[in-house]
Amino acid sequence: MYQHNGEEIFIIDGHVHLWDATEENIQHQGGEEFIQCFYDYHTTFTPEERQWDIDEYRKYGADRMVEDLFGNAAADMAVFQPTYLTDFYTEGFNTTEQNAELATEHPERFVLNGTFDPRDGEEGLEYLEELHEKYEIPGVKLYTAEWRGDSKGWRLDDEEAFEFLQKCADLGIENVHPHKGPTIRPLNRDAFDVKDADDAASSFPELNFIVEHVGLPRLDDFCWIATQETNVYGGLAVAAPFAQNRPGKFSEIMSELLWWLGEDRVIFGSDYAIWNPDWLVEEVMEAELTEEHRAEYGVEWDLETKKKVMGENIADLYDIDIEAKREAFEDDEISQQFGLEDHYAGEEPTPADD
């Protein structure tokens, strides 16, 4: 648990991946363009001394992921968000089944989400049921710009997509995470447009729509949608690293979100391994709103707001009992591996707090 001004804050990283972008797994030029674009984002918003080389970035593996997320207690839990891209990668880029290997090894630490693609029709509906039956997935990550044959994307408000959202509602899969943010080469910018989240959220009030990347660069559109759809949340992946080298922009983004949505509907995510919570959590926690933004918007990035955004809000969506988790982590396998037992018992800080 991160310690900030003497207070403990339980960190749930709401957006992580375990991917394979090795050359052996790439079957389409789009796969190489995709990982190179990720790497550009990584180097642009990561401190130079924290940057990875491209080879380790292509496939870092489960052991490194566990250490990066939990080794210094920068994060306490994480939510897997799959991204299949099977037209680009032979075995997929980051599938539910691949994530499940690590999630089932450490079920107390990871939440495993699935996915759907309405272009898969009846087979897709059956696959969604299989994921729910096998893994009891509580959420789905949706990638509306994914290429599939001649198709270069789909919309959340399509009739076919509504069939899958209804299936989610029927199965009790309550949390829907659509990627609605920056484009990634060679995918199409318009296929990530946030506008289709409006009708979907209105039509399925029983579902929670955690709009990943808060619609960037269409933040204004996202905020106008989210203020009237109370089941729409903002996922901070991509927005968070602005705290490191664009603090004024981070202040602007957070001020807009807190003014429009309030402190209860904004959720932290690192987008690991594009960025690493072992440094990003501290940057976000120590960031400040500018005086101008605080005066104009009348919002604060204070301790109570940070507690909600960094863990409590997503804990509410996923029915995570933070106090029970904290007690369980006093002697779980990961705490024993990294010597964190005393930290979770409240007896000493960790490197993340220094």
Side-chain angles (χ1 to χ4, degrees), residues 33-50:
E33 293 178 4
F34 189 88
I35 193 60
Q36 289 289 347
C37 186
F38 264 27
Y39 192 65
D40 288 344
Y41 282 123
H42 168 74
T43 55
T44 298
F45 288 100
T46 299
E48 185 174 358
E49 68 276 10
R50 297 281 195 162

Side-chain angles (χ1 to χ4, degrees), residues 31-186:
E32 182 62 24
E33 293 178 4
F34 189 88
I35 193 60
Q36 289 289 347
C37 186
F38 264 27
Y39 192 65
D40 288 344
Y41 282 123
H42 168 74
T43 55
T44 298
F45 288 100
T46 299
E48 185 174 358
E49 68 276 10
R50 297 281 195 162
Q51 293 176 15
W52 299 5
D53 65 55
I54 185 62
D55 290 332
E56 65 180 331
Y57 196 71
R58 288 181 182 275
K59 186 177 182 179
Y60 38 90
D63 290 343
R64 170 150 193 177
M65 182 178 193
V66 168
E67 183 171 1
D68 284 343
L69 293 178
F70 309 124
N72 66 356
D76 302 292
M77 293 184 65
V79 182
F80 271 122
Q81 306 289 3
T83 309
Y84 281 45
L85 298 173
T86 49
D87 274 23
F88 291 173
Y89 299 96
T90 304
E91 301 297 329
F93 181 65
N94 162 48
T95 69
T96 305
E97 291 81 1
Q98 292 160 354
N99 295 337
E101 294 182 20
L102 186 55
T104 53
E105 183 179 351
H106 301 290
E108 289 296 317
R109 295 283 186 159
F110 287 104
V111 174
L112 178 68
N113 278 346
T115 191
F116 68 72
D117 189 319
R119 295 170 295 186
D120 292 334
E122 286 299 321
E123 289 185 2
L125 290 169
E126 292 174 4
Y127 178 63
L128 181 59
E129 291 180 345
E130 290 170 6
L131 289 179
H132 183 258
E133 181 177 352
K134 185 174 183 178
Y135 300 118
E136 297 183 350
I137 56 169
V140 287
K141 168 70 183 303
L142 306 180
Y143 221 62
T144 56
E146 181 170 350
W147 289 9
R148 185 69 59 82
D150 293 332
S151 171
K152 293 188 176 181
W154 55 277
R155 292 179 58 90
L156 278 174
D157 53 6
D158 286 342
E159 181 179 347
E160 294 80 6
F162 273 28
E163 290 185 41
F164 281 77
L165 291 172
Q166 184 60 58
K167 177 63 71 173
C168 286
D170 294 343
L171 294 172
I173 302 172
E174 296 181 348
N175 299 309
V176 179
H177 295 254
H179 174 118
K180 295 296 178 182
T183 189
I184 302 140
R185 290 192 310 268

